[in-house]
Amino acid sequence: MDTDDGRRLPYDRLVYALGSRTADVGERAFTVESAAGLHKRLLDGPGELAVVGGGLTGIELAAELAESHRDWRVRLLSTGEVGGGLSPGGRAHVRTVLTALGVRIEEGHRVADPADVDADTVVWAASMTANTQLAEDAGLALDPAGRILVDADLRSVSRPGIYPVGDAAAITSPLAGPLRMACATALPTASHAASAIIAEARGRQPKPLAFRYVLQCVSLGRGTGWSSSCARTTPRAIWSCGVPPPPASRSRWCARPSASCGWPPAPGRRRPPPGHALMGDQNG
């Protein structure tokens, strides 16, 4: 492996874990990569802020921004239904919390260019892309979405000595199908690659990846959240923290201390009242 400063680093096995980034949308919008600039802009003065993207990243950003910068008016723009991958109860809970935080939800609002958004500040939370330019330059085979093609042991199909993991890899599991970009997939695939490398070093055949989704979690600010257990990729039992679920989700629930959910309050913020960690029914 050649570095920018002219060094050549030999290796027997290499783990490619460069993750993903927000696609380039120009200077009109802030992204998670330009969070420092967004922070400065928010401190410069209040106004209207639009978060583009109704997936989990957009939901979490809108909730955090609305909670921590209450002098700003926050909108959440989404082409489809906000939280479309959640259960009906999960989507209702997300909508309840965002509305309580003052977020204005605008569904059916397709945005092709940040310049088309009428807001003082735009935050882009859509169009994630894999960081695989280095892999492409090195001749590794990529799928049509630009992620590195791997075999069942997570080895590059074109360079078996390279183990791509996380968002940069096009990984498929028999139990879950193609894995999406998420920390829920990055951590297990990295662990599996480490186990495979150790097995090879000890002269054993690595085991193929066996992965399925167990939980889907959403943070809704510092005091509440939503977690769904999954059967394959279908949400089932629902847990929430901090805010009671909407009435349609209350067919079976029990109270637990909010501290058990593991969300310590941020400095200067009150912990949600106890008894607001709730388990919903199996249908969400």
Side-chain angles (χ1 to χ4, degrees):
M1 181 175 64
D2 296 328
T3 64
D4 289 341
D5 59 5
R7 292 180 297 161
R8 172 159 290 189
L9 306 177
Y11 65 86
D12 297 307
R13 296 291 183 270
L14 184 144
V15 177
Y16 191 106
L18 295 183
S20 61
R21 68 184 190 282
T22 309
D24 184 17
V25 291
E27 298 181 359
R28 170 72 172 100
F30 293 97
T31 66
V32 293
E33 292 83 6
S34 56
L38 173 60
H39 178 67
K40 182 180 183 303
R41 174 66 186 92
L42 293 173
L43 295 179
D44 285 343
E48 185 170 85
L49 181 149
V51 177
V52 179
L56 301 189
T57 301
I59 289 170
E60 294 191 346
L61 273 171
E64 287 280 349
L65 292 169
E67 184 183 66
S68 59
H69 296 276
R70 294 189 178 275
D71 52 342
W72 281 80
R73 301 184 304 278
V74 178
R75 299 157 56 200
L76 179 58
L77 314 183
S78 178
T79 301
E81 189 173 15
V82 168
L86 299 174
S87 69
R91 292 193 296 273
H93 184 72
V94 165
R95 185 179 296 274
T96 297
V97 174
L98 290 179
T99 301
L101 289 171
V103 177
R104 193 171 83 198
I105 299 173
E106 300 179 20
E107 296 172 331
H109 193 140
R110 182 176 181 81
V111 179
D113 189 325
D116 298 332
V117 180
D118 183 16
D120 298 302
T121 300
V122 179
V123 182
W124 198 265
S127 307
M128 300 301 295
T129 185
N131 277 322
T132 52
Q133 186 61 54
L134 179 62
E136 183 178 5
D137 293 344
L140 274 65
L142 308 180
D143 75 352
R147 302 172 81 182
I148 304 170
L149 291 169
V150 299
D151 62 16
D153 298 324
L154 303 193
R155 297 175 298 193
S156 164
V157 297
S158 51
R159 301 281 186 87
I162 297 178
Y163 283 79
V165 298
D167 292 358
I171 301 172
T172 298
S173 165
L175 296 175
L179 304 192
R180 60 178 179 262
M181 294 182 182
C183 63
T185 55
L187 294 173
T189 56
S191 177
H192 181 83
S195 297
I197 292 171
I198 291 171
E200 280 192 315
R202 294 175 177 174
R204 300 199 305 264
Q205 176 64 32
K207 296 180 180 180
L209 175 69
F211 174 90
R212 69 181 179 90
Y213 294 102
V214 176
L215 289 174
Q216 186 176 37
C217 305
V218 189
S219 170
L220 299 170
R222 299 304 173 91
T224 184
W226 186 267
S227 180
S228 306
S229 68
C230 304
R232 294 179 182 255
T233 56
T234 303
R236 289 280 181 94
I238 308 300
W239 290 80
S240 67
C241 299
V243 175
S249 302
R250 294 181 186 174
S251 59
R252 185 173 67 83
W253 52 277
C254 60
R256 292 171 177 261
S258 60
S260 66
C261 299
W263 271 296
R269 295 180 179 174
R270 294 184 301 170
R271 185 186 296 277
H276 280 182
L278 309 167
M279 183 175 73
D281 61 22
Q282 291 291 318
N283 296 319

